[in-house]
Amino acid sequence: MKNLIGINKEKAEELSKKLNLLLADYQLFYQNLRGLHWNIKGREFFELHLKFEEFYNDAVIKVDEIAERILTLEGEPLHTFDDYLKHSAIKAEKGITNGIEGINIIVANFSTIILKEREILSLAGEAEDEGTASLMSDYISESEKTLWMLSSYLK
């Protein structure tokens, strides 16, 4: 049986579950980025303050896109902080003021996220879900480039 957009309902449900885990990760990632943006100190303050803002602005867009994709697949997006904390593989960071420590947290968060995006991309391909596959493909490309840049910054 297929859903409204022509995807097998069981596969769409599985994709929605995985997308909800990614949504939870992005929500914690977003909040970590806000904290880093607000609390960063030191010589790289101006540079990192702006970069962290760029990252959280991107993350909040992705949060909305992921939630809307879940709805498109006829699922229900997680929407409480309790759910996000329960389901996220990313841990909440607190009191980080050091720029290098902040960048390392962002690298670890992106690394967690990109693994989930690859898993969802694979499932989307099996489900013939081009919409989710396209979204994940775009996210993976962006994450790979960002990880390369952040890695170069740390050297």
Side-chain angles (χ1 to χ4, degrees):
M1 183 149 215
K2 298 197 183 245
N3 66 12
L4 184 64
I5 61 172
I7 296 172
N8 176 285
K9 283 190 175 199
E10 289 177 9
K11 290 181 179 185
E13 186 176 324
E14 182 181 5
L15 279 163
S16 291
K17 286 178 183 176
K18 297 293 185 180
L19 284 165
N20 261 319
L21 297 177
L22 183 63
L23 177 63
D25 284 342
Y26 262 107
Q27 286 286 26
L28 267 286
F29 182 44
Y30 169 80
Q31 200 58 46
N32 285 344
L33 290 164
R34 292 302 302 234
L36 291 168
H37 170 78
W38 291 327
N39 296 304
I40 203 70
K41 295 182 181 3
R43 293 181 168 253
E44 295 99 6
F45 169 81
F46 292 105
E47 174 184 2
L48 293 179
H49 184 76
L50 291 173
K51 184 51 76 174
F52 296 159
E53 182 176 6
E54 176 187 321
F55 287 155
Y56 76 66
N57 283 332
D58 181 65
V60 78
I61 290 168
K62 286 181 171 66
V63 162
D64 193 54
E65 291 173 342
I66 294 164
E68 288 177 352
R69 188 66 200 166
I70 293 166
L71 290 163
T72 302
L73 291 168
E74 300 178 0
E76 181 181 345
L78 298 175
H79 55 277
T80 69
F81 284 109
D82 287 340
D83 284 339
Y84 301 145
L85 290 168
K86 181 179 175 184
H87 295 288
S88 179
I90 290 175
K91 68 176 194 151
E93 300 291 346
K94 184 176 178 181
I96 308 300
T97 60
N98 178 279
I100 297 302
E101 187 178 357
I103 295 290
N104 280 316
I105 288 167
I106 292 170
V107 166
N109 288 180
F110 265 122
S111 294
T112 297
I113 285 169
I114 201 169
L115 291 175
K116 285 212 178 116
E117 291 169 344
R118 290 185 196 288
E119 180 184 7
I120 294 166
L121 177 64
S122 178
L123 289 172
E126 293 169 15
E128 298 180 4
D129 176 2
E130 181 59 33
T132 302
S134 176
L135 194 64
M136 291 303 107
S137 182
D138 289 347
Y139 288 3
I140 290 166
S141 294
E142 290 175 34
S143 296
E144 288 173 342
K145 185 174 181 179
T146 301
L147 280 167
W148 158 67
M149 291 178 157
L150 291 171
S151 175
S152 294
Y153 183 86
L154 291 171
K155 291 182 182 185

